[in-house]
Amino acid sequence: MDDDRRRGRPRGRGEYTLEADPVRLRQLFQNLYTNAAEHAGPEPTVTVGPAEEGFYVEDDGSGIPEPERESVFEMGYGDEGGTGFGLAIVRRVARRHGWRVSVEDADPGARFVFEPA
């Protein structure tokens, strides 16, 4: 994939295209939505939008403390309610598409940013 396709390309007002394996991309979004549902309370809001060179997925939960933002992507990391595989799979899918993923503060919540590696 060339850099423009990895970043996403504007198609029109508020529309972007993203070239990706549909099964893996679905798994990436599903894991992020599940994570939000488990950590953002009974009625989470999840927003997907364009980042400077890619896209982001943001929720309105309690966020991820800065010291844990790298650890959350480790296989087996998690709390009692989860398996600890969800965000590790998100990182693996991102890497297979030539992206890097990072976590930022969304105030409130967490923002997962995907950009070309």
Side-chain angles (χ1 to χ4, degrees), residues 34-101:
T34 298
N35 192 69
E38 291 174 355
H39 299 284
E43 295 183 23
T45 299
V46 177
T47 305
V48 178
E52 190 164 322
E53 293 190 44
F55 67 98
Y56 69 85
V57 179
E58 173 180 299
D59 66 50
D60 63 349
S62 58
I64 299 172
E66 193 165 349
E68 296 177 37
R69 290 184 185 166
E70 190 62 31
S71 302
V72 297
F73 295 109
E74 293 174 7
M75 195 65 77
Y77 182 89
D79 56 22
E80 293 179 25
T83 63
F85 298 130
L87 294 179
I89 292 169
V90 166
R91 175 167 273 173
R92 180 172 289 160
V93 170
R95 286 180 174 165
R96 287 186 178 168
H97 285 84
W99 307 328
R100 69 177 178 273
V101 58

